[in-house]
Amino acid sequence: MRFARIYSPPKSAMQSGQGRTDEWVLEFALSERKLIDPQTGWYGSGDTGRQVRLRFDTLEDAEAYAKAEDITYEVEARRQRPAIRPKAYADNFRTDRLSNWTH
C-alpha cells in the first residue's frame, strides 16, 4: 500500500507573483529506506515512486485520483495568501497617510 501527501506548493523564492500556486501536487512518500552504496558512497534506494510528482488543478481531482488508485493520502492545509493591495506612486504624497514621511 502506497502513502502520498497532497499539498499546494508554495511560491518559489525566485518569483514575485502567485503563478503556479493554484495547483495541487500528489507526492509519494518514501517506501524504502535509503542506503549508502559501498562502491560510490552515494545515497540511493530502489524506490522510484519518490520521483513521481503528479499535478492537479483542484484538490478534489487529486483526492479522486488517490481514491481511484487506492492510495492512502494526507492533505496538508493550504496556507493563507496575503492580501495584495495595489500601490501607486501618488500614494507617497497623500495627505491622509498613516505613517510619517521618512525622507
Side-chain angles (χ1 to χ4, degrees), residues 2-103:
R2 297 292 308 208
F3 183 77
R5 71 181 183 125
I6 299 174
Y7 65 96
S8 178
K11 71 177 194 147
S12 166
M14 298 302 292
Q15 77 185 81
S16 60
Q18 298 296 323
R20 294 192 71 175
T21 57
D22 290 337
E23 62 188 14
W24 290 86
V25 176
L26 184 137
E27 186 177 76
F28 292 102
L30 194 62
S31 66
E32 186 179 299
R33 218 178 79 179
K34 287 187 176 183
L35 300 172
I36 298 175
D37 183 12
Q39 189 171 10
T40 63
W42 295 353
Y43 279 97
S45 74
D47 181 24
T48 57
R50 186 76 172 140
Q51 300 170 6
V52 176
R53 228 180 238 148
L54 303 173
R55 298 183 183 276
F56 297 93
D57 291 332
T58 63
L59 174 61
E60 291 77 25
D61 290 343
E63 288 178 327
Y65 176 81
K67 288 177 185 174
E69 296 296 322
D70 196 29
I71 299 170
T72 306
Y73 64 93
E74 176 181 282
V75 178
E76 289 186 8
R78 188 170 215 167
R79 69 201 178 287
Q80 293 289 333
R81 288 195 180 153
I84 299 174
R85 188 177 76 82
K87 296 181 181 180
Y89 180 69
D91 291 340
N92 291 330
F93 305 101
R94 290 179 36 192
T95 57
D96 60 343
R97 287 177 53 118
L98 298 177
S99 59
N100 293 332
W101 184 256
T102 59
H103 50 277

